[in-house]
Amino acid sequence: MRDPTSFLRNEYGDLVAAELDWKLRVLGGPSSPWSMIDGKKTLMFCSNNYLGLSNHPALKEAALEAIRTHGAGSGSVRPIAGNMDVHMELERRLAQFKKAEASLVYQSGFATNSGLIPQLVGEGDLVVSDELNHGSIIDGVRLSRAERAVYKHADAADLERVLEEAEHHSPAYRRILIITDGVFSMDGDIAPLDKIAALGTRHGAMVYVDDAHGEGVLGEGGRGIVSHFHLSRDEVQVEMGTFSKAFGVVGGHISGSRDLVNFAYNKSRTWLLSGSHPPAVAAACLAAVEVLEREPEHVRRLWEHTRRFKKAMSDLGFDIGRSETPITPVIVGESPLARRLSQRLFELGVFALPIVFPMVAKDRARIRTIMNAALTEDDVSFAISAFEKAGKELRIL
Ligand SMILES: *Cc1c(COP(=O)(O)O)cnc(C)c1O
């Protein structure tokens, strides 16, 4: 008899043979500046926990208190019996923080993009997408019945070309949605959202920005990319983000008009059909928003460390690409070299993973570092020394 599951072992075997399988590291404790990784105390240098909030006492206390007062789970999806006061309070405070009319929280950023995008556009519509957008956007677009067009990465002139072509489309598109990451996570560059917003306005298109890596990082007090470019909600109608990165917890969200939020929660299948956050999650997210408002030093320190690290690394002679954010790629060339550098850094006490083909071009393999505000100056110096030592040993420098 033929085994109907043989493909499982075969395809996994192919990944292992090509060294494209994920070898999972295990954290034996919190994600903190010095984390226990596979039993070894190591400097965390690649988490998305930019501000160190995942282990902040205010977030932990808020989560514990919510468990005491509201229990471990929410009991349902939000539209039926799982909408707690803590969910509503989180959205009210997030909207205030974002200076938007309203906000809506989803279970994750992935659930936001895959649930909302296919409701915003459908048959007879066009989605115009940056070629390097995140996979959750790509899946959201795939779930819609809209036509798709891709513009060159962060290239407003190419976007303009696509929009002009779209104007001559017959029959005319019902709606056009421009969608882009705010900060691109592989290179750390920022989308030209000011130009994109102006083009959206000129062509009557909606603009949707996924600011997963910009929140807690860019803009006034870490308010994100819309604040960074001083744009209005009439120009960028959907500001999407996540609580899983700088906010240190988990959950997706959108901010914009009350009309957007009313539409989104009544239509998004991921929101309607999937259980709501446990109260501890909502309470910890709320505490994260409050910490950002109350303790501006985290964002400030993140940028101080970032500037110092980038300068030291480029002075040493590393190729650190075109990043404008606390994501600093250290580009070394071929994949095996990036893997060896990561391995050597780990031995020296620094945890930073390689990003290799097919995530980036074959000759642009890199270590992707992400700065963390919770590090001390000595920690940053430690990382720089480890990169220098490993870089010299492997003849990258
Ligand atoms: C991480 C990320 C997401 C997914 O967010 P989660 O809340 O972790 O599901 C979506 N978009 C971008 C650009 C991201 O970097």
Side-chain angles (χ1 to χ4, degrees), residues 108-110 113 134 136 181 183 185 210 212-213 240 242 244-245 251-252:
S108 71
F110 208 111
N113 285 336
H134 190 261
S136 57
D181 280 22
V183 172
S185 62
D210 173 342
H213 281 277
M240 175 271 167
T242 173
S244 75
K245 294 190 171 126

Side-chain angles (χ1 to χ4, degrees), residues 56-341:
H56 190 292
L59 275 71
K60 293 199 285 189
E61 258 325 300
L64 287 168
E65 184 57 20
I67 290 175
R68 285 188 205 103
T69 57
H70 286 66
S74 74
S76 180
V77 294
R78 284 184 66 190
I80 298 184
N83 183 39
M84 291 177 154
D85 49 4
V86 58
H87 297 123
M88 300 299 286
E89 180 62 6
L90 170 59
E91 287 167 351
R92 197 183 63 76
R93 295 287 283 106
L94 180 65
Q96 251 175 24
F97 177 73
K98 291 280 186 178
K99 300 182 176 161
E101 220 171 83
S103 295
L104 181 69
V105 175
Y106 290 71
Q107 298 86 348
S108 71
F110 208 111
T112 311
N113 285 336
S114 57
L116 179 57
I117 296 167
Q119 303 303 325
L120 293 175
V121 283
E123 203 155 355
D125 299 332
L126 177 70
V127 189
V128 190
S129 181
D130 186 291
E131 65 182 339
L132 295 187
N133 275 346
H134 190 261
S136 57
I137 294 179
I138 293 169
D139 279 15
V141 172
R142 278 189 190 145
L143 285 171
S144 83
R145 294 159 65 95
E147 279 181 47
R148 300 120 214 225
V150 171
Y151 62 94
K152 287 199 195 111
H153 174 54
D155 186 336
D158 198 45
L159 170 60
E160 186 168 22
R161 176 190 64 77
V162 172
L163 291 171
E164 271 165 14
E165 276 171 21
E167 289 211 335
H168 300 114
H169 188 267
S170 173
Y173 289 115
R174 195 175 56 143
R175 289 200 281 271
I176 298 178
L177 176 68
I178 305 169
I179 189 158
T180 182
D181 280 22
V183 172
F184 291 85
S185 62
M186 294 301 158
D187 287 296
D189 55 331
I190 302 174
L193 193 63
D194 49 348
K195 298 198 183 87
I196 293 170
L199 286 169
T201 302
R202 184 158 357 122
H203 291 268
M206 291 182 282
V207 176
Y208 184 130
V209 65
D210 173 342
D211 201 27
H213 281 277
E215 285 177 331
V217 175
L218 300 178
E220 183 206 345
R223 279 171 176 73
I225 192 166
V226 172
S227 159
H228 173 81
F229 282 112
H230 306 289
L231 296 169
S232 84
R233 306 260 162 221
D234 297 330
E235 299 168 285
V236 179
Q237 291 85 356
V238 188
E239 179 177 3
M240 175 271 167
T242 173
F243 287 112
S244 75
K245 294 190 171 126
F247 284 103
V249 194
V250 75
H253 52 82
I254 53 166
S255 296
S257 67
R258 171 54 61 189
D259 288 339
L260 169 73
V261 165
N262 287 341
F263 173 94
Y265 80 76
N266 280 284
K267 296 262 194 180
S268 303
R269 290 164 64 79
T270 50
W271 196 91
L272 294 166
L273 302 177
S274 181
S276 57
H277 279 159
V281 169
C285 292
L286 176 57
V289 173
E290 289 173 349
V291 166
L292 270 172
E293 287 187 330
R294 197 172 59 226
E295 301 174 10
E297 61 269 26
H298 302 293
V299 178
R300 204 180 319 123
R301 202 164 335 101
L302 177 69
W303 281 100
E304 283 165 11
H305 286 342
T306 296
R307 287 192 198 97
R308 181 163 156 242
F309 181 68
K310 284 190 198 293
K311 175 160 190 328
M313 291 295 281
S314 78
D315 286 352
L316 282 171
F318 282 108
D319 175 359
I320 57 167
R322 58 184 174 188
S323 172
E324 306 159 86
T325 63
I327 295 170
T328 302
V330 181
I331 300 164
V332 299
E334 299 291 326
S335 299
L337 186 55
R339 286 185 209 284
R340 285 220 302 285
L341 177 57

Side-chain angles (χ1 to χ4, degrees), residues 334-379:
E334 299 291 326
S335 299
L337 186 55
R339 286 185 209 284
R340 285 220 302 285
L341 177 57
S342 171
Q343 183 55 39
R344 187 67 189 121
L345 287 167
F346 190 71
E347 289 160 13
L348 294 170
V350 174
F351 181 47
L353 279 185
I355 306 275
V356 301
F357 181 80
M359 279 185 281
V360 293
K362 274 208 163 79
D363 60 345
R364 302 286 287 165
R366 65 199 57 194
I367 304 289
R368 184 183 60 171
T369 70
I370 299 186
M371 189 46 76
N372 190 312
L375 303 185
T376 64
E377 295 220 352
D378 285 349
D379 294 335

